[in-house]
Amino acid sequence: MRLTSLLVGFVAAVLATTAWAQDVWVSDKRTPGAFAIAGAEILHAEGDFPVVGLAAGDLRDDLGAVLGKAPSLSTGKPSGKTAIIVGTLGRNPLIDGLVRDSKLDVGDLSGAWESFVIAVVDKPAPGLDKALVIVGSDRRGAAFGVYELSRAAGVSPWTWWADVKPQRRKALYVAADARRFGPPSVKYRGIFINDEDWGLQPWAAKTFDPAYGDIGPKTYEKVFQLLLRLKANTLWPAMHEVTKPFNADPANAALADRWGIVMGSSHAEPMLRNNVGEWKAGAEAFNYAANPGGVLDYWRERAKTNGKYESIYTLGMRGIHDSGMVGGGDIDGQRALLEKIITDQRGLIGQHVDPKVETVPQVFTAYKEVLDIYRSGLKIPDDVTLVWPDDNFGYIRQLPNADERKRPGGSGVYYHLSYLGAPLSHLWLSTVPPALVIEEMGRAYDLDARQLWVVNVGDIKPAELGTQLFLDMAWDVDHVRGLGAHGYEEAFARETFGPSQARAIAQILADHHQLNFERKPEHLQWFWGKGSTPRSSPLSVEQANARLARFDALVAKLDTEAARVPAEQRDAWFELVDYPVRDAALANHRFFDAEAFDRLIGERPDEAHARAAKARAADAQIAALTRRFNDEIAGGKWRGIMSVEPADGAWTSFRQRPFAAPAADAAAPRLAPSPAEDEGLIVVEAETADGQGWRRIDGLGRGGASMAAGDVREASTGGAALDYAVKLPAGAWALDLDLLPTFPLNGQTALRLAVSADGGAPVSVAAPRKVSDKAWAQGVTDGRLRVGSGLTLCGGERTVRVTSVDLGVVLDALVLRPAGACGR
């Protein structure tokens, strides 16, 4: 039984949402003073940065795809009556002349970071009647302005990476009033390509660039272009053993510089070094305590070769491949060793990059065990950016305190949309909910973690929605937060597929994210401790059937919308919506239909075998859809990009077991049973109460929304309370709380709140939070922490008050379970 309100959040969000852009400044309707794009040539200066010319070339192709005829592109003098002039302030003589002659007002653009102005100018030069001027404060600002025009004209950032075709237009007009964009909310914004073994690397090696046979310049150029279309500027490149190290081929770094991309490296790869592919002396020798000269020479080489490029240097040290640091001994010794390492690394930067070391971007990422070393008192130079990690499942482990927020180097975040590791990986369908990304990254922004945001996107596909959300938020955090998760989903659908289906597609995406938040398709395996044998789920057949019915209803909506998708968008529809949503549903059918066989084979064998057949059919459908993705979509363009998780027998301790369907003649269960999940629960959704100092989060939680305590920018929550009126059947009812598995923001080791019943004294409730323990493992796989309150309520009309103690607590539901007879 559930006591809940109508889920109105989705409706409210989509009604408030118009287009992705805050105003429609490019349209097919002429307005007074507007600039007509058709017939205009594109001009850029020969002496400008290379990335400006590259972006201008993409603009030519983009406008050609929209209008049916590509404009001409030139670095010479205007040859027609109208022109689109693009360039960097101070690097384009024509633009600089317009500014000097007061024909173009750029305001405070000079010296700004990655900003741009787009303006219509009348009579800009002799013989030129009208121009659309795109001027950037720097090289990336100019490029971002060019791609902003493409996006406003209807060209998706995913035009190449997800085959999103722009709608053809007979004409396009740019509104006359000038627009200023930037600076971005976050200075450095980018992605980390990781765990590329099962998608990007085989696709690049065998399909996209077989002559190179790996992820190389041709592939990276497409990545760089995508980053600029998404107004990102930073890349941590692929780094597994299967891939040739990025800097092993000098063409990669030179190409990144041409595209204006700032190269960095992951938390495990200090000083732009790919240890897995470049360190040749063995893991034991990668020990600064025992071999400082050898390691320092290794780092020195990269500082020399790449010092001329714009880079972000990762400081510190871990093991060869995402493992703990070798040497140092206990935590005190490790801390002292790390401080020595960082001092010596900065010495190399001063020698080979810039003697003003404090002006060179440097980061220290407190990932996994390094966070414990940092918490023990590790001293990091004030100009170095502290990068805070999530727990690999979307929950940020720590954010800067008041003193850390004063540091000139600032803070950043390393986040995950994809992960290979314990307790179970999520590498396949990218189902981290948009609402979780917005909530966690919003907290980070509010606490001034604004210097660098990097997100692990795995193989890029199928993480397109999450990647765009993360980077759109890094560019304009207030706009994305204003939309909310459901508003963003609709904006994404509108921009990608047009307005007629946007709301229906957004509802599909919302349902998809909610269902898979309860259990990811890669986590359909239950375990009861590290190294334990997988068991069946704790759901009864009836409970599992109810979950499958929700997936079936979702697929019915998917089928309805699929029939309406225009032919030219069917590849994009399959890649961005159909494949991830349908396969998530099939993965659940595969698992729970097979589990139903286990549960029913003894008493209802015919029904059991029918369910086994359904499981086998679902498995076959997943395989068929994946073959379609790899072999048919976009004419075979993506051959090798998609693998069903688990893809192979590698890293088995971090991945669920490959699916084994019951044989047609099977007569016994396959898995040992699990403890049954309590039935007869009464669940009261947290969002059914409204309390001062609490904030509703739509799209996050098992009931469709949740309640967050306090504003992280405040010193405390002030004891904000939520009050619930509950009518209970006769008997005793134990009260539990379902919390989201977030982390406390105040240095505590537990999430804390207080609960009282019927006006009684409040009882303190604490949920310990320690990464790698059993509670954490179950929390990230279940999408919740169930915490006992210690209170028991008798049947009848009761009141429950939940009071915040710590900032950052997110309440999903009150759960009341039968507890026998009620004593008086």
Side-chain angles (χ1 to χ4, degrees), residues 12 151 181 260 450 497 596 599 612 615 653 713 757:
R151 193 166 175 179
F181 299 80
R450 306 177 182 184
F497 300 106
R599 304 283 178 79
S653 64
R713 292 166 291 190

Side-chain angles (χ1 to χ4, degrees), residues 393 423-429 431 514-528 533-539 543-544 547-548 551 580-595 598-599 615 618-619 622 644-646 654-660 670-671 674 702 777 780-782:
F393 294 86
L424 285 173
S425 303
H426 53 111
L427 297 170
W428 181 24
L429 296 181
T431 56
Q514 182 181 335
L515 276 164
N516 291 295
F517 176 70
E518 295 177 15
R519 198 82 183 185
K520 291 182 181 297
E522 301 93 340
H523 295 169
L524 294 172
Q525 173 174 297
W526 274 256
F527 57 94
W528 307 102
T533 302
R535 294 173 174 264
S536 64
S537 83
L539 302 183
Q543 288 170 325
R547 177 171 172 81
L548 293 180
F551 273 109
V581 173
R582 196 177 300 275
D583 265 15
L586 288 167
N588 277 266
H589 264 289
R590 181 175 67 178
F591 179 86
F592 287 110
D593 281 327
E595 186 173 85
D598 292 339
R599 304 283 178 79
D619 187 52
I622 291 172
V644 179
E645 173 65 13
F654 300 147
R655 305 167 82 174
Q656 66 182 21
R657 291 184 176 182
F659 174 71
R670 302 161 307 125
L671 293 175
S674 295
R702 289 176 168 244
V780 296
T781 50
D782 290 344

Side-chain angles (χ1 to χ4, degrees), residues 226-284:
L226 173 66
L227 290 174
L228 294 183
R229 286 189 182 275
L230 291 168
K231 297 194 196 71
N233 59 13
T234 302
L235 178 68
W236 293 358
M239 46 75 75
H240 271 212
E241 280 185 283
V242 69
T243 306
K244 185 178 180 181
F246 180 87
N247 286 298
D249 186 342
N252 284 327
L255 190 65
D257 185 62
R258 279 182 55 79
W259 281 89
I261 298 300
V262 183
M263 292 305 301
S265 54
S266 76
H267 54 86
E269 302 173 283
M271 299 296 290
L272 302 177
R273 275 295 200 175
N274 179 312
N275 301 323
V276 173
E278 294 184 314
W279 179 259
K280 305 300 183 183
E284 298 79 11

Side-chain angles (χ1 to χ4, degrees), residues 165 236 284 341 349 429 645 683 694 748 755 810:
K165 306 301 181 188
W236 293 358
E284 298 79 11
I341 288 169
I349 292 170
L429 296 181
E645 173 65 13
V683 179
W694 289 79
Q748 299 289 332
V755 185
V810 182

Side-chain angles (χ1 to χ4, degrees), residues 286-306:
F286 196 61
N287 181 339
Y288 208 76
N291 184 27
V295 176
L296 201 63
D297 286 344
Y298 170 69
W299 290 333
R300 180 180 289 109
E301 180 183 353
R302 183 54 36 77
K304 285 182 176 180
T305 59
N306 288 51

Side-chain angles (χ1 to χ4, degrees), residues 725-731 733 758 793-799 824:
V726 184
K727 188 173 183 178
L728 299 173
W733 296 86
D758 299 328
L793 284 65
C794 291
E797 295 184 356
R798 301 293 175 222
T799 61
R824 292 288 182 180

Side-chain angles (χ1 to χ4, degrees), residues 352-498:
H352 304 292
V353 181
D354 191 328
K356 296 179 180 178
V357 177
E358 68 279 1
T359 67
V360 178
Q362 300 156 68
V363 300
F364 176 80
T365 303
Y367 185 69
K368 289 192 175 179
E369 79 288 340
V370 179
L371 182 57
D372 294 328
I373 301 173
Y374 175 78
R375 287 170 170 168
S376 77
L378 181 71
K379 293 180 176 62
I380 302 295
D382 280 349
D383 59 274
V384 175
T385 300
L386 296 174
V387 178
W388 307 100
D390 70 346
D391 64 349
N392 307 309
F393 294 86
Y395 304 95
I396 300 175
R397 294 183 62 186
Q398 184 169 322
L399 285 167
N401 60 31
D403 289 336
E404 289 159 342
R405 292 168 68 182
K406 296 174 184 175
R407 300 175 65 260
S411 290
V413 174
Y414 170 43
Y415 200 77
H416 286 76
L417 296 175
S418 174
Y419 178 62
L420 172 65
L424 285 173
S425 303
H426 53 111
L427 297 170
W428 181 24
L429 296 181
S430 190
T431 56
V432 176
L436 182 59
V437 178
I438 293 172
E439 175 66 17
E440 291 291 284
M441 298 311 300
R443 292 185 187 189
Y445 183 82
D446 287 342
L447 293 176
D448 294 332
R450 306 177 182 184
Q451 190 71 7
L452 175 139
W453 286 8
V454 171
V455 61
N456 187 322
V457 299
D459 289 309
I460 298 177
K461 303 180 70 65
E464 295 94 340
L465 171 59
T467 301
Q468 180 174 315
L469 166 62
F470 185 91
L471 295 174
D472 278 343
M473 193 171 180
W475 174 261
D476 189 348
V477 69
D478 290 336
H479 181 53
V480 174
R481 293 173 88 176
L483 288 174
H486 296 322
Y488 188 90
E489 287 161 337
E490 190 192 1
F492 178 84
R494 179 183 287 106
E495 183 181 30
T496 308
F497 300 106

Side-chain angles (χ1 to χ4, degrees), residues 668-692:
R670 302 161 307 125
L671 293 175
S674 295
E677 191 170 78
D678 289 337
E679 297 187 17
L681 302 178
I682 296 174
V683 179
V684 183
E685 300 296 347
E687 65 273 18
T688 58
D690 190 14
Q692 192 75 19

